């Protein structure tokens, strides 16, 4: 399977003009690009002394001239709002400050993914600054499932916990939070998941996606919301009548927490715009200082020996932090990020690294089974808009990754369901641009087709009884078709322009980096390297194709196409017969034995 990430599955009625006239590439995609406002591009280049390539990218991505300065130089000072603008922020602040002053027992209850681990560790580290030793509870994915649950809250109440702060979960945990209230717990929720008109019973709920919020900061990850909470807490604690606590608050440097915030923001695939862009830009600088012992040790084990980028956060560190919650011990990620003990940090990091290897093996096995199931599926009307794969005994910890892979392969919103022996399925869903899968899952739950479920536009999770599977599939397909207005989904690949083999260089890559960090909302640039000839190609590993590109205009460029051997794209690269190709991909740095070079990560191609 090709590892191309689908940038957009647009309804046919909204498609842009095909780039180079490519309606169907070797991967079956339509190539599209945005028109560049040449005047704006020139203005960016002149005013900010940008290279032409970077200026054109800014213009094509809709950056307004008034936004350019904060886009190029995102700072918290410019972009950080007053935390009090969020509903319940002041109420939550008062409750947590009160618990600190009274030396009450506080529990931090987080999700088991990276956003949950980073959010939890931010709050845990901050509370420890003031002498608190918060109880950490991260639910086991298999035994407890996602979010608050009554047995866990009973256990916390029995341990004399007074205040529970839920991070990255809780917005739709109606039954559990009602049980928590009956147990006498004070409950604060810090979350970002899509809210419903009904809110759970709790003492404060801070969520920029509450329906009574403006929506201006709805793009924040939970770790971003938690960082805002720390800003509010620190401001309040500087004013308390306990000199020792006020002095601690005055000494705390919240900027040192930005490395954790950056990792969580990148890994939760929220748009890198506005405040998120400041979190990641500044956080990557802190990450490079290697202050957090857990992140430092994990980077060493993962072999990161260069200036960290959003790629390292999202594809090197993130999967390892996530692995504990997927196939191992759910608390490991939070423990790693919140410890200051080098020996314990190394132990946690080694465990997470091994769990990540286990996760890859499980993921591969389930993905193969899912593809075989889907290829054998008879075409049904309700399968047109959504792909659903399911199986008994599949590990719930990896189905989210498998769903993402299948979404890429089939260019459709995808659900993967792991059923147990009792016919109860835990599921993950991943979507494409233009389809709000979270809203569709919530609607299915409200229709009585799901035991539980929720999420946001691009990802969701749910629990389903096997007897409801077909009816749910039909419901979801109809819901998605309605969102699309009846238009078919057309797989597209977005490109940012054309370049030659000879122009791919370290200097060119450096010019592009000026509009980073890259991620959701500001994707890494993808170019079409035009009129290529392949002078050498071979299979590396079992599934990858490596090639050396050249052109009549000169130059040589190394290229690699991952997981492509069994695809039309991979076979074309191996059996090109000297034909000229246009090859789409991303130019990446390639550091080897102290030498920096560049290579093309191939996403797609067409014969010229």
């Amino acid at each position: 399977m090709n590892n191309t990430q689908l940038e957009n599955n647009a309804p046919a009625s909204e498609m842009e003009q095909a780039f180079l006239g490519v309606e169907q590439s070797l991967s079956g995609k339509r190539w599209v690009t945005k028109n560049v406002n040449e005047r704006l591009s020139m203005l960016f280049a002149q005013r900010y002394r940008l290279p032409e390539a970077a200026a054109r990218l800014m213009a094509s991505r809709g950056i307004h001239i008034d936004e350019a300065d904060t886009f190029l130089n995102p700072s918290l000072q410019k972009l950080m709002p007053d935390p009090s603008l969020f509903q319940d922020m002041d109420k939550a602040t008062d409750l947590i400050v009160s618990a600190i002053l009274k030396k009450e027992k506080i529990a931090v209850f987080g999700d088991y993914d990276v956003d949950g681990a980073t959010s939890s560790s931010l709050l845990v580290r901050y509370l420890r600054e003031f002498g608190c030793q918060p109880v950490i509870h991260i639910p086991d994915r298999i035994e407890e499932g996602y979010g608050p649950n009554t047995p866990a809250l009973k256990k916390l109440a029995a341990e004399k916990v007074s205040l529970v702060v839920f991070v990255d979960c809780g917005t739709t945990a109606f039954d559990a939070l009602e049980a928590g209230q009956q147990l006498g717990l004070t409950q604060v929720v810090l979350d970002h998941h899509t809210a419903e008109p009904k809110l759970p019973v709790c003492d404060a709920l801070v969520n920029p996606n509450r329906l009574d919020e403006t929506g201006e900061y709805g793009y924040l990850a939970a770790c971003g919301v938690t960082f805002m909470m720390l800003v509010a807490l620190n401001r309040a604690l500087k004013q308390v009548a306990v000199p020792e606590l006020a002095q601690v608050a005055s000494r705390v440097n919240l900027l040192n927490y930005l490395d954790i915030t950056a990792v969580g923001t990148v890994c939760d695939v929220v748009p890198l715009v506005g405040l998120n862009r400041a979190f990641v830009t500044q956080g990557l600088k802190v990450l490079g200082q290697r202050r957090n012992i857990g992140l430092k040790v994990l980077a060493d084990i993962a072999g990161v020996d260069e200036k960290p980028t959003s790629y390292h956060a999202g594809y090197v560190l993130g999967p390892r932090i996530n692995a504990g919650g997927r196939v191992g011990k759910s608390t490991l990620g939070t423990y790693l990020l919140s410890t200051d003990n080098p020996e314990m940090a190394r132990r946690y990091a080694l465990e997470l690294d091994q769990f990540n290897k286990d996760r890859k093996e499980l993921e591969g096995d389930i993905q193969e089974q899912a593809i075989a199931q889907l290829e054998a599926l008879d075409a049904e009307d309700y399968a047109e808009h959504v792909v659903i794969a399911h199986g008994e005994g599949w590990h719930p910890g990896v189905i989210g990754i498998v769903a993402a892979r299948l979404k890429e392969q089939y260019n459709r919103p995808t659900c993967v369901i792991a059923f147990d022996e009792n016919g109860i399925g835990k599921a993950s869903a991943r979507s494409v641009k233009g389809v709000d899968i979270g809203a569709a899952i919530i609607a299915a739950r409200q229709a009585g087709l799901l035991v539980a479920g929720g999420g946001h536009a691009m990802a969701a999770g749910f629990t389903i009884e096997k007897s409801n599977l077909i009816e749910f599939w039909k419901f979801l397909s109809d819901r998605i078709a309605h969102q699309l207005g009846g238009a078919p989904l057309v797989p597209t690949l977005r490109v940012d322009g054309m370049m030659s083999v000879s122009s791919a260089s370290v200097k060119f890559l450096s010019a592009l980096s000026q509009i980073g960090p890259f991620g959701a909302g500001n994707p890494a640039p993808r170019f079409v390297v035009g009129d290529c000839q392949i002078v050498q190609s071979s299979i590396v590993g079992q599934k990858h194709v490596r090639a050396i590109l050249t052109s009549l205009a000169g130059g040589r460029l190394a290229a690699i196409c991952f997981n492509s051997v069994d695809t039309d794209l991979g076979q074309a690269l191996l059996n090109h017969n000297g034909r000229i190709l246009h090859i789409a991909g991303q130019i990446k740095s390639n550091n080897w034995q102290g030498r920096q070079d560049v290579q093309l990560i191939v996403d797609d191609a067409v014969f010229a």
Side-chain angles (χ1 to χ4, degrees):
M1 184 186 73
N2 189 294
N3 78 325
T4 298
Q5 291 189 356
L6 191 67
E7 292 295 333
N8 179 25
N9 262 42
S13 60
E14 299 178 5
M15 290 190 300
E16 299 128 309
Q17 184 176 356
F19 185 73
L20 296 179
V22 177
E23 296 287 351
Q24 187 170 14
S25 67
L26 287 166
S27 293
K29 297 182 177 66
R30 190 175 193 269
W31 289 3
V32 297
T33 192
K34 286 188 176 180
N35 292 327
V36 176
N37 182 326
E38 298 293 347
R39 183 179 178 184
L40 182 60
S41 173
M42 187 179 301
L43 185 58
F44 284 147
Q46 293 175 348
R47 181 174 295 186
Y48 297 101
R49 298 182 180 180
L50 290 173
E52 180 185 357
R56 289 179 65 83
L57 282 170
M58 284 183 63
S60 72
R61 293 181 179 193
I63 307 301
H64 192 273
I65 190 64
D66 295 335
E67 304 168 331
D69 185 57
T70 54
F71 180 85
L72 291 168
N73 305 290
S75 71
L76 292 176
Q77 185 176 7
K78 294 178 182 177
L79 295 166
M80 174 75 77
D82 184 336
S84 294
L85 70 85
F86 293 117
Q87 298 286 343
D88 282 3
M89 179 65 85
D90 290 342
K91 191 185 297 185
T93 302
D94 291 343
L95 289 168
I96 298 173
V97 169
S98 176
I100 293 172
L101 291 174
K102 295 177 181 178
K103 299 184 179 180
E104 294 177 348
K105 198 168 187 179
I106 302 172
V108 176
F109 193 117
D111 188 18
Y112 38 60
D113 68 359
V114 183
D115 194 17
T118 52
S119 300
S120 300
S121 60
L122 282 172
L123 189 55
V124 168
R125 294 187 74 91
Y126 184 81
L127 290 173
R128 286 177 180 167
E129 299 262 18
F130 296 87
C132 301
Q133 293 301 322
V135 176
I136 298 171
H137 187 88
I138 312 296
D140 182 274
R141 183 185 292 262
I142 296 176
E143 298 297 325
E144 299 175 71
Y146 167 78
N149 61 87
T150 301
L153 296 182
K154 286 182 177 178
K155 183 174 182 292
L156 292 175
E159 295 173 1
K160 306 302 182 184
V161 166
S162 297
L163 168 67
V164 183
V165 183
F166 302 94
V167 291
D168 196 27
C169 60
T171 296
T172 57
F174 304 108
D175 294 341
L177 266 63
E178 185 173 350
Q181 183 191 50
Q182 294 172 359
L183 289 165
L185 295 169
T186 300
Q187 300 177 116
V188 171
V189 175
L190 308 178
D191 199 5
H192 73 129
H193 290 97
T194 302
E196 301 179 30
K198 174 187 176 183
L199 294 177
V201 176
C202 61
D203 297 278
L205 191 155
V206 182
N207 184 337
N209 287 304
R210 283 174 51 154
L211 298 186
D212 54 354
E213 288 283 2
T214 65
E216 181 181 359
Y217 293 95
Y219 57 74
L220 290 175
C223 59
V225 176
T226 304
F227 186 88
M228 296 287 287
M229 181 78 255
L230 301 192
V231 174
L233 283 173
N234 213 55
R235 181 173 63 188
L237 284 165
K238 286 179 180 179
Q239 307 301 319
V240 296
V242 181
E244 311 90 82
L245 296 182
Q247 289 169 11
V248 171
S250 297
R251 291 197 303 267
V252 169
N253 185 356
L254 291 179
L255 296 181
N256 291 337
Y257 289 66
L258 286 175
D259 49 0
I260 299 175
T261 310
V263 170
T265 299
V266 171
C267 290
D268 213 49
V269 202
V270 290
L272 295 191
V273 298
L275 184 55
N276 281 348
R277 191 167 171 80
F279 283 150
V280 175
T281 299
Q282 305 306 323
L284 289 174
K285 295 176 184 177
V286 179
L287 185 62
Q289 295 167 4
R290 300 165 73 86
R291 292 174 179 269
N292 184 288
I293 187 65
L295 287 171
K296 175 185 181 299
V297 172
L298 191 64
D300 289 340
I301 289 172
V304 179
D305 58 357
E306 57 189 307
K307 181 181 177 181
T309 66
S310 53
Y311 168 82
H312 297 103
Y315 293 96
V316 181
L317 301 177
R320 288 170 169 81
I321 296 169
N322 220 1
R326 290 193 179 279
V327 299
K329 302 173 186 175
S330 60
T331 52
L332 277 180
T334 301
Y335 286 172
L336 174 77
L337 298 176
S338 58
T339 188
D340 288 319
N341 184 316
E343 184 179 339
M344 295 304 296
R346 180 164 180 79
R347 193 176 89 182
Y348 297 145
L350 286 170
E351 283 191 81
L352 286 169
D353 189 60
Q354 182 57 52
F355 284 137
N356 192 51
K357 293 173 183 175
D358 298 341
R359 184 269 304 172
K360 288 180 180 179
E361 185 174 345
L362 282 168
E363 173 196 328
D365 291 343
I366 293 174
Q367 185 173 324
E368 286 184 11
Q369 294 176 50
I371 290 173
Q373 179 186 114
L374 293 170
E375 295 298 325
L377 185 69
D378 291 333
E380 298 281 356
D381 291 341
Y382 56 84
E384 179 181 355
H385 292 104
V386 61
V387 169
I388 296 183
H390 56 91
E392 284 193 17
W394 288 359
H395 197 296
V398 300
I399 56 176
I401 303 173
V402 175
R405 302 293 188 201
L406 296 178
K407 178 208 74 171
E408 294 169 7
Q409 179 161 345
Y410 292 100
N411 308 315
R412 294 287 183 272
T414 300
C415 304
V416 178
I417 308 171
F419 283 108
D420 63 19
E421 66 276 6
N422 298 315
I424 302 297
K426 300 290 186 181
S428 285
R430 297 293 183 269
S431 194
V432 297
K433 188 175 180 181
V435 175
D436 186 338
I437 195 68
I441 293 299
I442 289 172
R445 176 173 59 76
Q446 293 171 336
L449 297 174
L450 301 175
V451 177
H456 47 78
M458 300 304 289
F462 58 92
T463 303
I464 184 172
E465 295 179 359
K466 199 167 190 177
S467 58
N468 286 334
L469 177 59
I470 298 302
E471 189 178 355
F472 164 72
W473 199 334
K474 292 177 180 177
F475 178 93
L476 199 60
S477 182
D478 289 344
R479 193 83 182 187
I480 292 171
H482 180 72
Q483 285 190 26
L484 295 170
L489 283 168
V490 176
T492 63
L493 186 77
R494 184 171 298 284
V495 298
D496 291 292
M498 202 161 183
M499 61 184 296
S500 65
V501 170
S502 59
S503 62
S505 64
V506 173
K507 182 179 179 180
F508 179 75
L509 196 60
S510 177
L512 296 182
S513 70
Q514 295 184 55
I515 66 163
F518 299 115
N522 185 37
R526 177 184 289 114
F527 293 94
V528 175
V529 182
D531 298 319
C532 299
Q533 283 186 302
I534 298 177
V535 295
Q536 179 183 331
S537 61
S538 59
I539 298 173
V540 293
Q542 293 183 336
K543 300 180 180 179
H544 316 313
V545 176
R546 180 171 56 196
I548 301 297
L549 311 180
T550 188
S551 71
L552 294 176
R556 289 170 70 88
L557 176 62
I560 188 163
C561 189
F562 292 108
N563 300 311
S564 62
V565 167
D566 297 326
T567 68
D568 291 340
L569 173 60
Q571 287 301 307
L573 297 177
L574 291 168
N575 304 298
H576 51 84
N577 296 321
R579 295 173 65 184
I580 304 295
L581 295 114
H582 300 317
I583 302 180
Q586 299 177 19
I587 303 295
K588 298 285 189 181
S589 177
N590 186 24
N591 300 300
W592 177 250
Q593 295 182 340
R595 176 186 173 186
Q596 185 181 15
D597 206 343
V598 298
Q599 66 176 343
L600 178 69
I601 310 300
V602 177
D603 290 323
D604 207 351
V606 293
F607 286 110

